[in-house]
């Protein structure tokens, strides 16, 4: 029943708001937001989010650079990532509070508990200096924060999120292991409005501007900023410039041609163990008893491999840390991302919110491994226990089927 028809029939009884132009009205595969989103501009929020994430990326780049230049002994020290992690959160929190003082709620990974402990003063001083140096590099804010200001900014990230109101969602450094290795990491910032992701920004300081599989590219520049607003598409720009391009997920329809992303860390998706088991199974023809034992012992370890076999994916997996995978997928560097963590692991919203909208606005689909959309309205955690799968609209049905069959096979290996 159209709103206009209702107005004619019930002109005085029903007080309806004036019709708003629809900006987005596809029955979205997008799991991040509702199927019909009435025109609601988040442009101001997006501008602020891009600024905050870019500043945080600059801070992280500076720390990673000095980390990589340091001697071997100090490379075993985790404090650089700690400093950059807290610094990034303090910076993003400060910028967003400056821009939106009236309504501010932030769900973020860190809090200041450890920084308030005895012996942490030197760390806090380092973080405070970094944050102030970063703010000084941007002319918008002529302030110098005290250590207490920095701790308070970090603690502003204690919100629980949920289905009411607006909440910023931040992972100040997603992929801390990648950061320490000198590899990929991301600053991931999203905004929830009534439980739906309405904008997302992914700063990826080490991601090449050209496709990751393009080894012949003469351009070896790195540093990408992906951003998306609900109904507005996904875009990428270099971290240090404003030239923007619209991005689109891969249109590959044949799984054999699809390349496949997964976590770099085996502990996050158990790919090493799955490969190992596959090799053992195929080359040594292990007895079925050993096979069952290994499967039981390593839980879901063979799922990824089996999905690959069922899909007929030929290319070897591309292993990347962090939500950089979502960014790379949004511009078609790969076609599938599977994340199948160990049993019992609870996914946090800050590990997926920004990536989810960047991919869906680029035409992709993000679901849990059972084929349900992700629900960001339940607080800090995503309510799922099967893993997360991401691909284009054409491949999603076959990917869901392959995952389902593999999980069934895993549950009854005989
Ligand atoms: P990725 O680099 O894609 O594997 O994801 C990095 C994120 O994985 C981190 O930010 C953590 O929040 C999350 N993580 C930490 N431990 C685990 C785990 N055991 N299984 C799955 N994810 C994890
Ligand atoms: Mg993370």
């Amino acid at each position: 029943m159209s709103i206009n028809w209702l107005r004619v029939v019930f002109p005085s009884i029903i007080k309806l708001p004036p019709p708003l132009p629809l900006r987005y009205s596809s029955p979205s595969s997008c799991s991040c937001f509702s199927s019909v989103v009435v025109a609601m501009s988040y442009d101001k929020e997006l501008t602020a989010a891009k600024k905050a994430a870019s500043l945080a990326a600059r801070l992280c780049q500076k720390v990673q650079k000095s980390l990589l230049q340091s001697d071997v002994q100090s490379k075993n020290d985790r404090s650089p990532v700690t400093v950059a992690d807290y610094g990034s959160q303090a910076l993003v929190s400060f910028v967003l509070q400056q821009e939106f003082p009236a309504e501010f709620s932030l769900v973020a990974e860190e809090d200041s508990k450890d920084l308030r402990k005895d012996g942490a003063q030197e760390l806090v001083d380092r973080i405070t200096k970094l944050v102030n140096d970063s703010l000084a590099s941007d002319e918008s804010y002529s302030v110098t924060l005290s250590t207490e200001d920095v701790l308070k900014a970090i603690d502003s990230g204690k919100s629980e999120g949920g289905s009411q109101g607006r909440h910023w969602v931040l992972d100040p450094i997603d992929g801390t292991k990648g950061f320490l290795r000198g590899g990929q990491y991301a600053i991931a910032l999203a905004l929830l409005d009534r439980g739906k992701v309405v904008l997302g920004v992914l700063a990826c300081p080490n991601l090449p501007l050209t496709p990751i599989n393009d080894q012949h590219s003469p351009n070896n520049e790195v540093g990408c900023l992906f951003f998306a607003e609900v109904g507005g598409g996904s875009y990428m720009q270099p971290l240090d410039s404003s030239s923007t391009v619209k991005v689109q997920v891969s249109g590959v329809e044949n799984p054999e041609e699809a390349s496949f992303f997964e976590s770099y860390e085996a502990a996050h998706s158990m790919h090493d163990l799955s490969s190992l088991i596959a090799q053992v199974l195929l080359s040594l023809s292990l007895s079925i008893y050993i096979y069952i034992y290994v499967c039981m012992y390593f839980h879901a370890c063979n799922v990824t491999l089996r999905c690959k076999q069922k899909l007929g994916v030929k290319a070897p997996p591309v292993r990347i840390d962090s939500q950089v995978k979502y960014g790379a997928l949004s511009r078609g560097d790969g076609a599938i991302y599977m994340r199948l963590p160990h049993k019992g692991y609870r996914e946090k919203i800050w590990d997926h919110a920004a990536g989810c909208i960047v991919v869906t606005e680029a035409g992709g689909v993000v679901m849990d491994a059972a084929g349900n959309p992700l629900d960001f309205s339940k607080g800090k955690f995503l309510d799922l226990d099967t893993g997360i799968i991401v691909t284009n609209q054409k491949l999603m049905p076959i990917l869901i089927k392959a995952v389902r069959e593999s999980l069934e096979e895993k549950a009854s290996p005989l």
Side-chain angles (χ1 to χ4, degrees):
M1 186 184 293
S2 90
I3 286 176
N4 286 337
W5 185 86
L6 273 171
R7 276 180 198 291
V8 173
V9 178
F10 305 112
S12 57
I13 305 173
I14 300 177
K15 285 208 183 286
L16 291 168
L20 290 166
L22 287 182
R23 224 174 126 187
Y24 175 85
S25 62
S26 94
S28 161
S29 49
C30 170
S31 33
C32 309
F33 40 84
S34 60
S35 56
V36 175
V37 177
V38 175
M40 174 76 111
S41 170
Y42 298 94
D43 293 350
K44 188 167 177 264
E45 287 79 1
L46 183 60
T47 305
K50 284 170 66 182
K51 182 177 185 172
S54 303
L55 273 173
R58 228 176 284 161
L59 178 151
C60 295
Q61 275 173 314
K62 194 170 159 186
V63 179
Q64 198 189 43
K65 199 170 159 199
S66 61
L67 166 74
L68 299 178
Q69 285 165 351
S70 62
D71 55 40
V72 177
Q73 199 188 346
S74 45
K75 277 189 181 140
N76 295 326
D77 171 16
R78 276 188 64 89
S79 74
V81 74
T82 309
V83 167
D85 211 16
Y86 285 119
S88 169
Q89 180 159 324
L91 202 49
V92 172
S93 170
F94 174 79
V95 170
L96 294 177
Q97 283 186 76
Q98 290 294 302
E99 301 294 331
F100 306 102
E103 189 189 15
F104 182 74
S105 165
L106 175 67
V107 187
E109 189 163 19
E110 308 301 341
D111 65 46
S112 77
K113 203 167 78 228
D114 288 344
L115 295 176
R116 292 183 187 274
K117 287 182 182 159
D118 287 347
Q121 192 55 43
E122 196 226 316
L123 205 57
V124 180
D125 290 342
R126 276 167 72 192
I127 297 164
T128 306
K129 180 169 181 334
L130 258 177
V131 171
N132 281 323
D133 289 350
S134 304
L135 286 173
S137 71
D138 186 281
E139 278 148 27
S140 332
Y141 310 105
S142 50
V143 287
T144 304
L145 303 185
S146 66
T147 53
E148 190 52 34
D149 293 333
V150 167
L151 293 173
K152 276 191 184 143
I154 292 167
D155 277 336
S156 304
K158 276 185 178 165
S159 167
E160 292 291 321
S163 60
Q164 305 296 314
R166 289 186 179 188
H167 307 278
W168 291 98
V169 179
L170 171 69
D171 195 338
I173 293 189
D174 184 32
T176 47
K177 294 204 165 113
F179 180 92
L180 284 167
R181 261 190 262 108
Q184 297 297 334
Y185 65 97
I187 293 91
L189 178 61
L191 179 64
L192 298 185
D193 192 353
R194 284 157 289 164
K196 311 289 180 193
V197 185
V198 293
L199 74 81
V201 176
L202 278 181
C204 308
N206 286 339
L207 182 66
L209 288 168
T210 50
I212 45 179
N213 40 10
D214 183 359
Q215 285 151 358
H216 306 296
S217 168
N219 182 357
N220 54 6
E221 275 177 67
V222 295
C224 304
L225 186 72
F226 295 90
F227 55 95
E229 186 181 335
V230 60
S234 280
Y235 299 85
M236 183 187 82
Q237 66 186 55
L239 260 174
D240 56 7
S241 113
S242 56
S243 59
T244 302
V245 289
K246 197 167 197 290
V247 292
Q248 198 65 38
V249 294
S250 158
V252 162
E253 293 181 27
N254 179 356
E256 280 192 24
E257 292 163 21
S259 69
F260 150 61
F261 289 164
E262 64 181 357
S263 292
Y264 186 98
E265 292 292 328
H268 297 179
S269 69
M270 296 185 278
H271 43 78
D272 285 353
L273 295 176
S274 62
S275 300
L276 186 65
I277 289 166
Q279 283 164 23
V280 171
L281 278 171
L282 295 176
S283 61
L284 298 180
S285 303
L286 269 182
S287 81
I288 194 73
Y289 299 106
I290 298 176
Y291 172 52
I292 292 169
Y293 169 78
V294 173
C295 285
M296 284 168 64
Y297 186 75
F298 293 122
H299 304 291
C301 48
N302 57 347
V303 173
T304 303
L305 180 87
R306 289 182 187 190
C307 291
K308 245 186 90 184
Q309 287 171 337
K310 284 180 188 304
L311 287 165
V313 172
K314 283 190 169 155
V318 180
R319 291 176 181 150
I320 314 175
D321 294 288
S322 81
Q323 284 172 78
V324 164
K325 290 187 279 299
Y326 283 104
L329 205 95
S330 77
R331 66 180 188 189
D333 288 10
I336 296 172
Y337 166 27
M338 274 191 270
R339 182 180 175 84
L340 302 159
H342 289 258
K343 207 166 168 47
Y345 180 75
R346 294 183 79 193
E347 295 282 7
K348 327 289 187 308
I349 57 172
W350 53 73
D351 277 329
H352 300 282
C356 180
I357 191 165
V358 164
V359 162
T360 50
E361 282 298 322
V365 194
V366 183
M367 308 202 114
D368 74 12
N372 303 306
L374 305 191
D375 183 353
F376 289 92
S377 72
K378 295 279 190 321
K380 282 185 181 179
F381 296 99
L382 288 170
D383 196 8
L384 55 94
D385 59 6
T386 50
I388 291 174
I389 50 178
V390 187
T391 187
N392 63 30
Q393 307 208 5
K394 294 261 170 53
L395 285 174
M396 185 50 95
I398 188 173
L399 179 58
I400 292 172
K401 190 166 179 286
V403 171
R404 193 191 308 126
E405 280 181 19
S406 301
L407 288 168
E408 280 166 11
E409 218 173 295
K410 188 200 79 173
S412 56
L414 286 174

